Amino acid sequence: MDLRINALNSQAATGVGRSASARGAGSSAGVGGVGSGFADNFKTALQSVSKAQNEASSLQMEVQKGNPNVSLEETMLAMQKAQIGFQATLNVRNRMVQAYTDIMNMSV
């Protein structure tokens, strides 16, 4: 599971290639376009973490059912990957909330 956020390419940074409805309705980042690239990357990372959690859960169910094709080691590894991904995502979210709070508390 790769949780690295790739560098923004020029197309994502300028918002080119996205439909007008996606720019207006789906973007919570605002006007700049650069934020929408981060939002897209963060959404992809969240989907990856969710997929890892679902995979770990299904492997866990198969082990509990006694499926001989699924090993306990494979299941434990998948569970640890999902846990690490969730913790990383949680830390990113906490830093984003802290940054937002710091910005909102700045005096103008």
Side-chain angles (χ1 to χ4, degrees), residues 56-72 75-76 79:
S57 178
S58 67
L59 286 173
Q60 187 178 13
M61 293 294 282
E62 290 299 317
V63 166
Q64 289 174 353
K65 291 177 185 176
N67 186 346
N69 297 327
V70 178
S71 68
L72 181 61
T75 304
M76 295 300 291
M79 290 171 58

Side-chain angles (χ1 to χ4, degrees), residues 6-18 23 31-38 40-41:
N6 298 328
L8 296 175
N9 60 23
S10 61
Q11 185 178 16
T14 59
V16 176
R18 297 178 73 193
R23 269 183 262 150
V31 180
V34 174
S36 65
F38 177 79
D40 291 340
N41 286 331

Side-chain angles (χ1 to χ4, degrees), residues 1 3 5 7 9 28 38 44 52-53 55 62 72-73 75 88-90 92 95:
M1 175 174 63
L3 295 178
I5 297 178
N9 60 23
S28 62
F38 177 79
T44 302
Q53 287 177 332
E55 179 183 334
E62 290 299 317
L72 181 61
E73 294 84 8
T75 304
T89 304
L90 186 63
V92 169
R95 286 185 182 243

Side-chain angles (χ1 to χ4, degrees), residues 75-96:
T75 304
M76 295 300 291
L77 185 62
M79 290 171 58
Q80 286 298 312
K81 283 182 179 181
Q83 182 180 9
I84 290 169
F86 179 76
Q87 289 174 350
T89 304
L90 186 63
N91 285 331
V92 169
R93 190 231 24 173
N94 288 343
R95 286 185 182 243
M96 287 174 50

